[in-house]
Amino acid sequence: HVRLFDRIGKHVHLTRQGQLFYEHGLRIMKEISCIQTTLSDEKELTGHLSIGTIESISSSVFPSLIHCFHHTHPKISVNIILDSPEALLDGLCANTIDIVYLLDQKINDTRFIKLMEEPEEILFVPSSGFPLPPSLPLTLDELLSQPFILTEDNASYRFALTQYLASMGRSLKPFLEISNTDFIINCIKDGDGITLLPRYTIQKELDAGTLINVPVQDFHMRAWRQIFYHKNKWFTREMQAFTELAGKQFICSRP
């Protein structure tokens, strides 16, 4: 008789034996997946793929990416999970997510294998008709005096801005906070204020001239698009196909 779990109050934890059993189980599943892949190398991809991502990527990057992926591999079923970066990485560890595609500061964690790491500009953007001070770039104080619509604090770039301003002894209080990127973009296009968003979310509006990039003195922010999977997970052909397509899409999306 071997005890695999300890129950303390409402929480369940793996014992040492449970952890060893879990690690052996992962290796066995990896070998089974490897055998299945080897036997089906010449066949059309027909598996399942669970992809974790954040809201801003799902609304702006994923529609065309998933459309192309489905067109290329119509027999792969896809499940998309939206959550915070921390929860998505926990999903990798729990083996409930195959791949995570997120935007964040560089994440270097020995539990994960990083398949892509590409820089992404984070921009201050109002509508083209928004009344700004006549001289650009703006000073930080001129910028902070403007009305703002921002994502919630759990967005990595919003958190980075908050930290930066705190280091300068300043803070920013938006008049509206919401996690929906499309809603923010529509409000900004209507002239309701300034926002801070990754370039990929508003590239179409920048190209059309409906939104503009406002430079700020001595300020430049960027984050990284990153794709991960767990080091103990077998890298399936389905995962490889998605990663290759995501990399090609990133290259093609560069301004």
Side-chain angles (χ1 to χ4, degrees):
H1 177 76
V2 176
R3 188 180 185 89
L4 300 180
F5 302 95
D6 281 327
R7 181 182 297 275
I8 302 175
K10 295 182 179 180
H11 301 284
V12 177
H13 305 273
L14 286 173
T15 63
R16 173 59 180 164
Q17 291 81 6
Q19 183 63 37
L20 290 173
F21 181 82
Y22 171 72
E23 291 173 1
H24 283 301
L26 281 179
R27 284 195 289 270
I28 292 170
M29 294 303 296
K30 183 176 179 179
E31 288 298 323
I32 292 173
S33 181
C34 179
I35 293 170
Q36 291 173 335
T37 299
T38 301
L39 294 176
S40 62
D41 271 347
E42 302 304 319
K43 296 180 181 179
E44 184 179 8
L45 298 183
T46 60
H48 176 78
L49 195 58
S50 179
I51 307 168
T53 192
I54 58 175
E55 191 277 334
S56 64
I57 289 179
S58 74
S59 62
S60 54
V61 174
F62 267 36
S64 60
L65 177 57
I66 297 300
H67 172 79
C68 185
F69 186 71
H70 176 67
H71 179 77
T72 308
H73 306 288
K75 293 186 179 180
I76 298 178
S77 62
V78 177
N79 179 36
I80 297 175
I81 299 170
L82 301 183
D83 215 320
S84 67
E86 294 79 10
L88 295 175
L89 295 177
D90 285 344
L92 288 184
C93 294
N95 201 30
T96 57
I97 299 176
D98 298 316
I99 283 181
V100 164
Y101 187 161
L102 52 78
L103 181 81
D104 209 324
Q105 301 306 303
K106 287 186 179 181
I107 297 173
N108 297 305
D109 190 317
T110 56
R111 295 175 299 171
F112 310 123
I113 293 177
K114 189 179 296 186
L115 301 169
M116 185 176 85
E117 181 182 86
E118 297 291 348
E120 188 72 43
E121 281 188 286
I122 311 297
L123 308 176
F124 289 109
V125 286
S127 71
S128 56
F130 185 79
L132 290 168
S135 60
L136 295 177
L138 298 182
T139 66
L140 187 60
D141 287 335
E142 286 175 327
L143 175 74
L144 295 179
S145 68
Q146 306 300 317
F148 268 85
I149 303 174
L150 294 176
T151 56
E152 295 167 325
D153 271 328
N154 60 359
S156 59
Y157 45 91
R158 168 72 192 280
F159 181 69
L161 174 64
T162 300
Q163 286 187 312
Y164 172 79
L165 293 177
S167 72
M168 306 284 289
R170 292 175 171 83
S171 62
L172 174 58
K173 180 65 176 176
F175 74 86
L176 176 62
E177 293 178 285
I178 184 171
S179 61
N180 188 291
T181 305
D182 288 336
F183 184 92
I184 293 174
I185 292 172
N186 287 330
C187 287
I188 296 301
K189 286 165 67 175
D190 288 339
D192 290 337
I194 296 178
T195 192
L196 178 77
L197 287 174
R199 178 182 283 275
Y200 66 78
T201 62
I202 39 88
Q203 187 62 56
K204 180 175 66 175
E205 288 78 11
L206 292 174
D207 292 341
T210 54
L211 299 182
I212 59 172
N213 173 25
V214 175
V216 179
Q217 291 180 17
D218 302 320
F219 182 89
H220 180 72
M221 181 183 292
R222 66 177 179 175
W224 279 262
R225 293 200 214 184
Q226 299 163 90
I227 297 179
F228 301 91
Y229 74 98
H230 198 280
K231 68 177 183 179
N232 291 332
K233 188 174 184 65
W234 175 249
F235 188 55
T236 66
R237 295 170 67 213
E238 290 79 12
M239 293 162 66
Q240 180 180 4
F242 175 82
T243 304
E244 290 176 352
L245 186 60
K248 291 177 183 177
Q249 184 203 47
F250 176 83
I251 294 172
C252 294
S253 69
R254 293 297 79 194

